[in-house]
Amino acid sequence: MNLPKFLLGDNTDCKDDIFVIHTEFPRFIINLVDDEIEWLEDFDGADQEELETQVAILIDQASEFYDREMKRYQE
C-alpha cells in the first residue's frame, strides 16, 4: 500500500482537536490545536539529534498540509 505522507485524523470524542498523522519516519500524530505530538517511533541517542533538526520542519509541513486540505474542501 502506498500511503500519503500526511493524513487527517478526526474523532468525535475530541471535538475541538485537529489531528494530522505523519506516515513516514519519524512517524507521529500532531494535534494542530496545541502542537502536542505523539511519536509512533522509539528513538535512541543517535536519532535524537536528527529528530530535533526535523521537528520544526515537519510541524510546518503538517500545518501546510492541513491548510491545503481545508482550502480544497471549501472549493
Side-chain angles (χ1 to χ4, degrees):
M1 175 186 305
N2 189 16
L3 293 174
K5 184 174 182 175
F6 292 103
L7 299 169
L8 290 178
D10 188 25
N11 188 306
T12 57
D13 292 333
C14 305
K15 294 179 185 179
D16 297 328
D17 294 324
I18 302 167
F19 299 105
V20 174
I21 299 100
H22 183 251
T23 63
E24 298 175 358
F25 184 84
R27 296 173 305 141
F28 64 87
I29 301 170
I30 183 170
N31 183 341
L32 293 179
V33 172
D34 59 9
D35 289 339
E36 183 177 350
I37 297 175
E38 180 68 29
W39 296 102
L40 304 174
E41 308 283 357
D42 292 324
F43 301 105
D44 61 20
D47 292 333
Q48 188 72 26
E49 184 177 323
E50 179 183 344
L51 177 66
E52 289 174 0
T53 59
Q54 291 183 9
V55 169
I57 294 167
L58 292 171
I59 289 172
D60 287 343
Q61 288 177 352
S63 296
E64 289 170 7
F65 164 76
Y66 175 78
D67 292 342
R68 185 195 77 192
E69 291 298 298
M70 291 301 101
K71 184 177 180 181
R72 289 179 178 177
Y73 279 122
Q74 292 172 354
E75 291 177 348

